[in-house]
Amino acid sequence: MTVQPLANGFCFGEGARWFEGLVWFSDMLGEAVHTVTLQGEMSTLALPGHAPSGLGFRPDGTLLIASTKTRQILAYDGETVSALADLTDLVPADLGDMVVDAHGRAYIGSQAREGGVIVALDPDGRATVMAEDLSFPNGMVISPDGTFIVAESTARRLTAFTVADSGALHDRRVFADGLDGPPDGLAVDAEGGVWAAMTLAHQFERITGGGTTALVTDRIDMAGRTAIACALGGPEGRTLFLLSSTDAYPERLIGTRLSTLDAVSVDVPAP
């Protein structure tokens, strides 16, 4: 696999998504959301006063943005940004990553190292805690068979849930344990394989559910850079977009512009 540079010059990229021919991602320390074309042209949505992280799109195209420290969910309709929900009373720590299901329901992680939770925000505005006692819940995906998978960074594992028709998460179980490093952002492919950013291992790995032992089918070495987040997309769904930085701890990168967005072709496409 050959990693190709696509864009740089931003502070700390997170929450990568592919939508309508563009790569979207948060610049958490740069208080912005960026979009990048396949030719590397970058545009910026400024979010002063917010440190954005998780992103997700509702079926109507509305972009949802997790504002980490304000613990709010923002909505961007293509013209204006508005506060959609305040989750402060439901969460024990700052917000992190997000995934939005086909019904427009958003799942948002609150990144406590112990006692982390996942909150579901329904299209009608109702917010409910759906999972508790997680170890720094980070990247989240919903696989083609409907399995909900979350990265527990400090536990170095991927945890799976079954999603009820109501959106509730139940039947908690281990998807993959004993990972090579703390997992951050996730992306899922058409076969249910999960690409995970392995921060301190400096690589991206494709993992299939193996329970107590992670089954790694592919590795992408980042030459010492910290793997942060990834997304599957491109014209045929076979491009894996990679966000990386020079440090796993954002506070050490304030004022820098050392994060990069790269791309690599993979065999199994997006769902």
Side-chain angles (χ1 to χ4, degrees):
M1 295 182 182
T2 302
V3 176
Q4 299 289 341
L6 193 58
N8 57 35
F10 49 93
C11 191
F12 192 82
E14 262 285 12
R17 294 289 181 263
W18 170 262
F19 184 71
E20 292 189 341
L22 297 169
V23 187
W24 300 67
F25 61 93
S26 294
D27 187 350
M28 191 162 64
L29 300 177
E31 298 187 346
V33 169
H34 302 298
T35 60
V36 176
T37 69
L38 292 177
Q39 292 72 44
E41 299 167 345
M42 188 162 66
S43 299
T44 298
L45 170 66
L47 295 170
H50 295 281
S53 183
L55 304 179
F57 289 90
R58 282 184 163 167
D60 65 359
T62 299
L63 172 64
L64 302 186
I65 305 165
S67 178
T68 58
K69 296 186 181 302
T70 69
R71 303 185 185 184
Q72 292 178 316
I73 302 301
L74 310 178
Y76 175 59
D77 63 5
E79 295 184 0
T80 60
V81 177
S82 58
L84 184 65
D86 190 325
L87 305 183
T88 302
D89 292 341
L90 293 176
V91 299
D94 291 350
L95 304 184
D97 219 320
M98 176 197 307
V99 66
V100 179
D101 69 14
H103 305 289
R105 180 184 296 112
Y107 294 88
I108 307 103
S110 173
Q111 295 181 324
R113 295 186 181 277
E114 296 180 1
V117 304
I118 295 173
V119 176
L121 178 65
D122 289 343
D124 64 6
R126 181 180 58 178
T128 309
V129 175
M130 292 297 191
E132 299 178 287
D133 298 323
L134 295 163
S135 299
F136 205 86
N138 217 321
M140 291 174 276
V141 293
I142 300 173
S143 72
D145 67 1
T147 302
F148 185 101
I149 301 165
V150 59
E152 290 192 76
S153 294
T154 52
R156 297 196 176 198
R157 66 171 169 251
L158 303 183
T159 296
F161 295 86
T162 299
V163 185
D165 292 341
S166 65
L169 304 178
H170 61 94
D171 187 24
R172 179 174 176 170
R173 56 201 182 274
V174 173
F175 181 85
D177 207 350
L179 303 183
D180 292 330
D184 194 338
L186 306 180
V188 68
D189 63 31
E191 294 180 356
V194 177
W195 283 98
M198 294 297 179
T199 53
L200 302 182
H202 308 295
Q203 59 190 4
F204 291 86
E205 297 180 356
R206 182 181 182 271
I207 299 167
T208 58
T212 56
T213 303
L215 301 179
V216 179
T217 65
D218 300 270
R219 287 184 170 90
I220 301 171
D221 181 74
M222 295 305 291
R225 292 183 62 82
T226 302
I228 301 296
C230 54
L232 266 174
E236 298 179 354
R238 297 179 186 274
T239 302
L240 185 66
F241 300 99
L242 312 171
L243 284 168
S244 66
S245 190
T246 57
D247 203 302
Y249 299 94
E251 59 272 14
R252 297 176 183 171
L253 296 170
I254 295 172
T256 68
R257 294 183 177 272
L258 301 175
S259 288
T260 61
L261 175 67
D262 299 302
V264 63
S265 295
V266 297
D267 293 331
V268 184

